[in-house]
Amino acid sequence: VRVRVVRMTGQTMRRRKATAEPAIGAADAEDARLLALELAGLAPERQIDQIGVRVVLEPGERAPRATVARLWWWQGAWVGGVDCTLVVTDRRLIVRMPDASLGSLWWGSMVGFEADLNRGQVVVDFGDGSPRLLMGSGTAVVAVAGVAALYGIPALSGHPALAPLRQIGPGRP
């Protein structure tokens, strides 16, 4: 077991990595690539069933994916580490906590966004002193949606955070 010190948004977190498996699975990477094509208008856009996932969207809000990730937040140290369901929309991430409560992480309110898909993590920062860390294979679609919402559709083809999605695929590691 290797222990790595990961540095993000000025904070340090120790995490364990038990295997050399990629942080983003091939199926999740493929889904993230498909989402990028959908957002760019190059593939038919899928929409999740908002009733099925028990969320309410704003008028005109689109929700192309639901995924899972582990959520941490900074309170002098990284705390939390709870498994959550994420509804990824064009305006926000809707987070369903284990107790079924919901929270919204609005793209338009973020002051910082850092995706590291080689480690399977995305950090979002709202400038409130408590950045949120999402970890897991589901962060690939979060990274794609975040880049599209924060930097625009053209950034999907060249944003460095999405480079691993251009390298992972069928027949590739």
Side-chain angles (χ1 to χ4, degrees):
V1 173
R2 293 187 333 223
V3 176
R4 280 192 162 155
V5 175
V6 179
R7 191 140 180 92
M8 51 191 65
T9 62
Q11 314 306 332
T12 303
M13 177 181 161
R14 295 178 67 84
R15 77 177 179 102
R16 299 174 151 257
K17 185 168 185 170
T19 66
E21 293 178 21
I24 303 297
D28 289 311
E30 188 59 34
D31 189 40
R33 279 192 291 277
L34 181 58
L35 176 60
L37 292 172
E38 291 170 19
L39 294 174
L42 300 173
E45 190 172 321
R46 297 186 325 202
Q47 293 295 310
I48 64 160
D49 173 16
Q50 68 176 327
I51 296 170
V53 294
R54 303 179 329 269
V55 299
V56 177
L57 301 177
E58 292 190 327
E61 185 175 16
R62 298 183 335 264
R65 295 294 188 281
T67 189
V68 294
R70 182 161 281 216
L71 174 67
W72 302 79
W73 51 94
W74 183 258
Q75 291 183 338
W78 289 108
V79 297
V82 295
D83 292 323
C84 299
T85 299
L86 303 173
V87 176
V88 181
T89 85
D90 58 337
R91 298 183 190 172
R92 59 185 162 155
L93 293 173
I94 303 172
V95 181
R96 182 173 299 282
M97 300 295 282
D99 65 1
S101 63
L102 294 169
S104 290
L105 305 176
W106 295 90
W107 299 120
S109 297
M110 291 181 190
V111 298
F113 176 83
E114 181 180 343
D116 184 343
L117 297 183
N118 289 320
R119 293 190 173 128
Q121 57 192 35
V122 172
V123 175
V124 295
D125 194 333
F126 296 91
D128 60 0
S130 184
R132 283 68 162 184
L133 167 65
L134 298 164
M135 297 181 76
S137 194
T139 57
V141 297
V142 172
V144 167
V147 166
L150 298 167
Y151 304 106
I153 299 300
L156 292 171
S157 64
H159 195 286
L162 303 180
L165 296 177
R166 294 187 272 284
Q167 299 166 359
I168 302 169
R172 293 180 274 180

